[in-house]
Amino acid sequence: MNILAELRSRFEPVLTEWTDNPSSVIDMLKASQDPKFGDYQANFAMPLAARIPDLKPRDLAAQIVEKVDLSDFCEPLEIAGPGFINIKLKQDWLQEQTRQLVQDERMGVAAAETPQKVVVDFSAPNVAKPMHVGHLRSTVIGDANYRVLKFLGHDVVGDNHIGDWGTQFGMIIFGFKHFLNQAAFQEAPVTELARLYRLVNQLSDYHASKNSLPQKEQEIEQLTEKLQTLEGTADQTDKKVQKQLKKLKAELDDKQKALSSLQESLSQLEANEDLHSKAVAFPDIARLAREETAKLHAGDAENNDLWKQFLPQCLDAIQGVYDRLDIHFDMALGESYYQPMLADVVADLKAKGLATESQGAICVFIDGKEAPFIVQKQDGAFTYATTDLATIKYRAEELKADRVLYVVDSRQSEHFQLLFATVKEWGYSDLELQHVSFGTVLGKNKRPYKTRSGDTVGLESLLDEAIESAYQIVSQNDDAKPNGPELDEAERRDVAEVVGLGGIKYADLKHNRDSDYIFDLDKMLAKQGDTATYMQYAYARVNGIFRKGGIDRDELRTHQQSLNLIEPTEIALAMKINRYSEILESVAAEARPNYLTNYLYELADLFSTFYDVCTVLKAEDEGVRMSRLLLSDLTARVVQNGLSLLGIRTCERM
């Protein structure tokens, strides 16, 4: 049973006496943060009483308690403070619920009664360049949501909406035609294509930066004059003037630093004879690369052949990363798939009066939004917006989706606000669209995680580093065991991969996805604290108990009637296990895997306390021993299942 859902279903009809919309306050019934206030607590009496003259929250709470019936599984309800309703489960009922979980393969998690068709759009790299640390968050957050929704019984489609048709291909095609190292391409085609992309991008940035110099210098000159004028004419003792001077000086300092950095990067390129000669040879390289993209989109035979040659090689390289991370997709329809549909999308928007011409471009204007949603540029080219609209049309009409999750970083928030608003106006008002936004991976300097040379960290090198660090930790731990090492070299390597990759995934998923987080391998792989390693060790520890006792876990489960909760730590652990279902429902509803990581950490912590307080294998009473073994087995199963839903593996021993 999802206990929280059951409690809310009992209270909700009762609340209709005081509100026409009980669903607006029912979320205020939650699990208690402190056991002394019961297992659950309802706080909705306060906001409801505030709407009713002369009614005190505590009196309203008493009226609610009088009308709701929870006697079949809860102790008599208590009212605390100004109107909190404290709810405590009956111990015999909790024990029976826990006993039923012993032989339940799903550990009390029921499949959805009305499953939805859900598309999870995640990862979506541009295939023309190697995956880097910036792709990590979308990939692991999307995969975790996909797995949880699937486990809950929804019909889920994981879609890797790859960027296989954008401007990056124009840059690569231009680079291929003018700067190709044929030998390097034969030896490692994807590496050479990535070099060409970076080269064209670097040369384009050089010219853009050089062209921006006069304006930046003028801005500094104007700011300097403004500052000098203020210093020469204003009253320096005036606090407002002091504040204004401070602000101007800070602004001037920032602009001077930015200019110096820009000049330094220009000088560095110009000092490189090869790069500088290429920059001089192609002053309009950005425009020329865009023209190659336009030719590709227009069906140019040469560019199309090159695109067909590059694409499989790029996709194979990306698949290698997915294989290592155990990431799978049901479909991978890239931007190119939707290209034939784009003209019809724009035509339909115009026919319905949603899209109009503005300064030569075709735009959708949304009330309350200053920026238009551009679906066709002045030169006739379609945009990402057009592709996204065509994709939604396909998902709604062909896939019959009820809900679509877009796991894309928070910088794209405005785009998705405009997209979703346009889609509703377009006629897909029943389709639930959700932007699963996330922050940035930072280095220890609290800036976007880069290599020393300033390049974005490659994802494969990141995985290699994590696995090697985990190998050192696993080896040291194994060597330090009292009775000598237990793992051979192959096992150490396997455990290191499980720990290293699990550490990276968990560290990403445990944060509120809207927040940035600092990438720190030492903290990620720590055996103590909120890490995957801590959970993996908890699972391995339980397996160690059963190995030491020579106990078959499958055979043990046939004795579920032996489960008997006595000690407070046993009851607390059982209570946490029974909350697994409601946690997964929360993850699914809000697309927040950190709810699950937090739950697993608390569960592992409770097990550690239970194991320290309660003797298991050496319990004098056989019934107590059997009961505690069953509770240990249940804990291990939930930990293993929960980690698997995060895409993280476990080991029988570590």
Side-chain angles (χ1 to χ4, degrees):
M1 179 194 291
N2 182 327
I3 300 171
L4 181 62
E6 180 64 22
L7 287 170
R8 287 175 173 175
S9 73
R10 301 281 185 99
F11 272 96
E12 199 160 356
V14 171
L15 298 179
T16 55
E17 185 172 333
W18 297 278
T19 175
D20 294 331
N21 185 20
S23 61
S24 65
V25 295
I26 199 65
D27 286 351
M28 297 183 77
L29 196 169
K30 300 178 180 179
S32 295
Q33 297 299 307
D34 189 330
K36 71 181 181 183
F37 299 125
D39 299 314
Y40 294 85
Q41 190 174 66
N43 303 341
F44 37 60
M46 278 76 84
L48 289 177
R51 306 172 191 174
I52 304 169
D54 302 322
L55 181 59
K56 294 179 180 179
R58 191 176 174 90
D59 294 338
L60 176 56
Q63 293 179 44
I64 294 170
V65 164
E66 189 178 335
K67 292 179 180 293
V68 71
D69 182 11
L70 303 175
S71 58
D72 51 333
F73 69 107
C74 293
E75 301 288 356
L77 302 181
E78 296 180 354
I79 301 170
F84 300 114
I85 300 172
N86 294 341
I87 306 163
K88 187 170 181 59
L89 303 178
K90 289 182 175 178
Q91 188 173 325
D92 58 349
W93 182 87
L94 176 64
Q95 182 168 290
E96 179 57 33
Q97 287 293 114
T98 310
R99 186 180 291 132
Q100 290 177 21
L101 299 183
V102 169
Q103 288 191 321
D104 181 2
E105 290 184 0
R106 294 180 58 85
M107 292 149 291
V109 181
E113 292 182 7
T114 53
Q116 287 186 306
K117 183 66 170 279
V118 186
V119 176
V120 183
D121 181 329
F122 67 105
S123 193
N126 286 327
V127 298
K129 36 190 176 172
M131 291 182 73
H132 54 75
V133 68
H135 296 114
L136 180 65
R137 300 215 72 185
S138 175
T139 303
V140 299
I141 293 171
D143 182 57
N145 280 293
Y146 173 87
R147 290 171 185 258
V148 168
L149 287 163
K150 196 136 187 144
F151 184 68
L152 289 175
H154 296 286
D155 182 4
V156 192
V157 176
D159 187 4
N160 192 7
H161 186 62
I162 54 177
D164 65 351
W165 197 244
T167 55
Q168 75 274 13
F169 271 101
M171 298 168 84
I172 288 178
I173 290 170
F174 182 88
F176 189 87
K177 290 179 177 179
H178 296 91
F179 308 130
L180 178 68
N181 181 325
Q182 188 66 49
F185 183 69
Q186 292 299 324
E187 183 179 344
V190 176
T191 302
E192 175 62 6
L193 293 178
R195 183 191 72 84
L196 294 173
Y197 170 80
R198 288 195 301 270
L199 174 59
V200 174
N201 204 35
Q202 186 179 12
L203 298 178
S204 299
D205 286 347
Y206 168 78
H207 287 295
S209 297
K210 194 165 185 178
N211 291 337
S212 71
L213 269 180
Q215 182 183 346
K216 292 184 182 300
E217 289 170 344
Q218 185 180 10
E219 288 174 356
I220 288 174
E221 187 179 329
Q222 290 172 344
L223 202 56
T224 302
E225 289 177 1
K226 187 175 181 181
L227 182 61
Q228 290 172 344
T229 301
L230 189 64
E231 286 177 329
T233 60
D235 180 1
Q236 302 290 313
T237 61
D238 189 315
K239 287 187 178 180
K240 288 185 178 179
V241 172
Q242 289 176 353
K243 188 176 180 180
Q244 192 176 358
L245 284 169
K246 185 178 179 181
K247 184 179 178 183
L248 284 172
K249 286 176 181 177
E251 187 180 352
L252 180 60
D253 185 55
D254 287 343
K255 287 186 179 293
Q256 287 173 332
K257 285 179 181 176
L259 179 62
S260 296
S261 176
L262 186 64
Q263 289 170 331
E264 184 181 350
S265 65
L266 291 173
S267 297
Q268 285 177 351
L269 186 141
E270 289 166 355
N272 185 314
E273 189 176 333
D274 178 55
L275 284 176
H276 191 225
S277 65
K278 287 181 170 66
V280 171
F282 297 101
D284 294 329
I285 191 169
R287 177 182 59 80
L288 295 171
R290 287 196 300 271
E291 287 178 358
E292 295 291 359
T293 306
K295 285 164 65 178
L296 172 66
H297 291 179
D300 178 81
E302 180 185 13
N303 284 12
N304 207 263
D305 286 343
L306 287 174
W307 178 77
K308 289 178 180 177
Q309 179 185 355
F310 299 157
L311 191 58
Q313 297 164 325
C314 295
L315 290 174
D316 286 346
I318 289 172
Q319 189 58 47
V321 177
Y322 291 140
D323 289 343
R324 292 186 71 182
L325 288 169
D326 191 26
I327 304 289
H328 305 280
F329 299 93
D330 299 299
M331 56 195 294
L333 299 183
E335 294 167 352
S336 60
Y337 180 84
Y338 300 97
Q339 189 70 11
M341 311 175 194
L342 304 188
D344 288 343
V345 167
V346 174
D348 193 37
L349 290 169
K350 291 167 73 175
K352 291 179 177 176
L354 294 175
T356 56
E357 185 177 329
S358 176
Q359 299 179 12
I362 306 300
C363 307
V364 177
F365 289 91
I366 301 296
D367 289 342
K369 299 289 182 182
E370 287 187 23
F373 199 48
I374 303 172
V375 294
Q376 193 168 15
K377 297 178 184 177
Q378 291 174 319
D379 60 5
F382 299 111
T383 67
Y384 289 119
T386 333
T387 305
D388 281 346
L389 288 167
T391 306
I392 286 176
K393 180 180 174 69
Y394 176 85
R395 289 167 175 169
E397 297 181 1
E398 300 299 325
L399 300 182
K400 309 297 182 186
D402 300 304
R403 181 185 182 195
V404 183
L405 306 184
Y406 290 87
V407 189
V408 182
D409 75 76
S410 56
R411 291 172 297 179
Q412 302 298 318
S413 294
E414 185 177 11
H415 167 79
F416 283 106
Q417 289 170 11
L418 291 168
L419 174 66
F420 296 168
T422 300
V423 168
K424 298 300 181 190
E425 294 290 326
W426 198 19
Y428 298 101
S429 56
D430 293 334
L431 182 61
E432 183 184 348
L433 301 169
Q434 184 175 358
H435 177 202
V436 182
S437 61
F438 54 83
T440 304
V441 181
L442 305 176
K444 292 181 182 179
N445 59 2
K446 298 186 179 179
R447 295 178 180 175
Y449 195 38
K450 305 272 189 178
T451 64
R452 288 183 179 178
S453 61
D455 294 328
T456 305
V457 177
L459 194 47
E460 283 210 86
S461 64
L462 198 70
L463 303 183
D464 291 338
E465 184 183 357
I467 292 169
E468 186 54 38
S469 295
Y471 174 77
Q472 300 300 326
I473 294 169
V474 169
S475 298
Q476 290 167 11
N477 182 68
D478 195 36
D479 288 337
K481 288 176 180 173
N483 299 320
E486 298 177 1
L487 309 175
D488 61 29
E489 180 64 15
E491 287 177 304
R492 286 187 179 190
R493 289 290 174 187
D494 185 54
V495 172
E497 183 153 324
V498 171
V499 171
L501 298 180
I504 283 181
K505 288 185 178 184
Y506 188 91
D508 194 301
L509 295 169
K510 78 173 184 178
H511 292 88
N512 179 334
R513 57 175 166 75
D514 294 314
S515 304
D516 300 338
Y517 78 92
I518 294 172
F519 190 93
D520 186 334
L521 269 180
D522 292 336
K523 291 182 179 179
M524 289 178 181
L525 302 177
K527 287 169 58 180
Q528 298 298 323
D530 190 7
T531 66
T533 313
Y534 179 57
M535 250 69 74
Q536 290 165 326
Y537 268 106
Y539 176 77
R541 187 181 192 182
V542 176
N543 279 282
I545 294 170
F546 287 101
R547 277 197 307 273
K548 187 176 180 180
I551 300 161
D552 183 297
R553 289 172 64 186
D554 291 329
E555 196 278 330
L556 171 73
R557 291 169 200 155
T558 63
H559 300 280
Q560 80 265 36
Q561 293 305 319
S562 300
L563 192 139
N564 189 22
L565 306 175
I566 302 171
E567 297 293 333
T569 55
E570 295 176 304
I571 296 167
L573 186 57
M575 182 68 228
K576 181 64 74 172
I577 290 170
N578 276 275
R579 291 197 59 214
Y580 188 43
S581 176
E582 66 192 57
I583 295 299
L584 293 185
E585 291 287 355
S586 297
V587 174
E590 299 184 42
R592 294 191 181 276
N594 64 298
Y595 293 167
L596 178 54
T597 61
N598 185 58
Y599 168 83
L600 291 173
Y601 175 55
E602 291 176 353
L603 177 64
D605 230 20
L606 280 171
F607 177 78
S608 182
T609 302
F610 154 78
Y611 191 69
D612 289 343
V613 172
C614 298
T615 305
V616 179
L617 283 176
K618 295 182 179 180
E620 293 182 6
D621 184 273
E622 179 60 20
V624 172
R625 176 176 176 271
M626 189 69 72
S627 177
R628 289 174 180 172
L629 284 168
L630 286 168
L631 202 54
S632 299
D633 177 58
L634 262 176
T635 302
R637 288 167 57 203
V638 173
V639 168
Q640 184 182 42
N641 184 257
L643 287 176
S644 76
L645 297 182
L646 298 171
I648 297 171
R649 291 190 290 154
T650 50
C651 298
E652 296 301 302
R653 58 180 184 170
M654 294 174 68

